[in-house]
Amino acid sequence: MSKREFFAELAADLAALLADERDLIANAANTAALLFARLDQVNWAGFYFRRGEQLVLGPFQGKPACVRIALGRGVCGTAALRRQTLVVPNVHEFPGHIACDAASNSEVVVPILHGERVLGVLDLDSPVRGRFDAADGQGLERIVAEFCRATDLDYV
Ligand code: SME
């Protein structure tokens, strides 16, 4: 199965999982749990939501993580500031990378956008270098789009 097919199936499963609920916390928690259960070689999957000029930790699966990240800092803050998906094959070469779990070696971060506003990011970490590629970035953008479609984002 190609990554494109894998993420198409995962997005359909996410749509079914979130179908009867619009609550932000519940849907973010179930999205993180689905990603963590279904993606191989992932040691952290979860959300940060924007609070002013910072990102604040949201629902996730994995080890406890840093709670506040300034916009523009680390992989998450950079993706949020640039409003761009970032695929980082080796986090140790990313200037300003924030190490939450020492096991993490690669990372992908997808911004959550509502028009021009950045509401937060979806972040996945892997212990395997080069675990994520552009197809994962695009697939996770599809997952974020489904999450946004299914969720009441008004109080982010
Ligand atoms: N590594 C991230 C911080 C968040 S944790 O990976 C969960 C970063 O550099 O933004």
Side-chain angles (χ1 to χ4, degrees):
M1 191 192 272
S2 70
K3 285 191 181 183
R4 196 185 158 86
E5 288 165 336
F6 170 80
F7 279 107
E9 200 172 294
L10 196 60
D13 291 349
L14 183 64
L17 182 65
L18 305 185
D20 297 325
E21 185 55 65
R22 294 198 59 80
D23 183 82
L24 175 76
I25 294 172
N27 284 357
N30 262 340
T31 301
L34 185 73
L35 289 169
F36 196 70
R38 296 277 289 275
L39 286 161
D40 292 333
Q41 301 175 315
V42 165
N43 62 320
W44 202 92
F47 290 85
Y48 282 86
F49 290 110
R50 185 176 181 173
R51 301 279 180 256
E53 294 305 300
Q54 293 185 320
L55 296 170
V56 177
L57 184 62
F60 69 94
Q61 300 266 312
K63 287 192 179 169
C66 36
V67 175
R68 289 178 186 270
I69 299 173
L71 287 181
R73 291 270 338 275
V75 185
C76 290
T78 304
L81 194 68
R82 291 189 197 162
R83 297 184 175 87
Q84 239 174 37
T85 297
L86 285 183
V87 176
V88 181
N90 180 359
V91 294
H92 308 289
E93 289 174 359
F94 188 93
H97 164 251
I98 301 161
C100 292
D101 183 343
S104 298
N105 283 312
S106 62
E107 185 162 358
V108 54
V109 179
V110 178
I112 300 168
L113 303 173
H114 196 50
E116 283 299 292
R117 279 175 62 214
V118 181
L119 302 183
V121 299
L122 173 68
D123 179 21
L124 273 75
D125 285 14
S126 172
V128 178
R129 284 196 190 178
R131 162 66 180 82
F132 306 108
D133 61 14
D136 292 293
Q138 283 157 19
L140 291 166
E141 285 172 359
R142 192 163 179 176
I143 295 296
V144 165
E146 187 52 49
F147 166 77
C148 289
R149 200 188 59 73
T151 304
D152 181 2
L153 298 168
D154 286 344
Y155 69 97
V156 178

